[in-house]
Every structure is written in C-alpha cells, then in structure tokens.
Amino acid sequence: MTFALQGIGASKGIAIGKVHAIERTQPEVLEYALPRKFVRSEIARYRRALASAKAELRAVKQKIPESAASDVAAFIDTHLLMLE
C-alpha cells in the first residue's frame, strides 16, 4: 500500500522507509464532572490560554523572514483562524 503525506516538513527532501505503528489503540480520554463552583474559573482559564496561544502565534508570524515561502505565514494564519 502506498501512502503519501503532503505539507511542510522539517527539512527539504524526500524520505522513503518503513513505518512502524507504535500504538494501535485509541488514547484514553478521562471524563469527569466539574463542580459548579469551578466553572467560572475554568472558563476564565480557557480564555487566558486562548489569548496566550493567539499572541504566541502572532509573535512567531512576526519573526518569519521576508525570504520565507508565503505558505509559512499561511500556515500560522490557518492556526490563528482555527483559534477564532
């Protein structure tokens, strides 16, 4: 079976080789009920994390050199849009 991945790699070039599945099971996601008294603080924590992630991505985008491919900035913009 042939499988191709597209995107921006860590380095230029082509890699050919065998792939080894390390884990075949779905990750376990723990669920729990949040006591009502913590809901407001968790919403505030989420909003701070969201603002922080956006700020970090904007800072990264500002550091992209003019000589970089345009799709590098588009990659950051895509992630900013997902956070919106």
Side-chain angles (χ1 to χ4, degrees):
M1 174 171 74
T2 301
F3 187 89
L5 297 175
Q6 306 262 333
I8 300 171
S11 64
K12 294 180 181 179
I14 298 173
I16 299 173
K18 292 183 178 183
V19 175
H20 300 278
I22 300 205
E23 188 173 324
R24 296 176 191 262
T25 61
Q26 292 292 323
E28 183 180 344
V29 178
L30 300 176
E31 286 188 36
Y32 59 92
L34 185 67
R36 187 179 280 292
K37 65 182 180 180
F38 297 121
V39 171
R40 283 189 184 183
S41 63
E42 282 298 303
I43 291 171
R45 189 170 76 98
Y46 168 77
R47 289 182 175 154
R48 284 192 307 274
L50 187 60
S52 175
K54 288 178 185 179
E56 286 181 31
L57 284 170
R58 288 185 186 114
V60 167
K61 187 176 175 187
Q62 292 295 320
K63 293 178 183 177
I64 297 172
E66 294 281 330
S67 60
S70 62
D71 55 351
V72 175
F75 179 79
I76 300 296
D77 287 337
T78 300
H79 285 76
L80 283 166
L81 284 171
M82 285 190 281
L83 290 174
E84 289 300 323

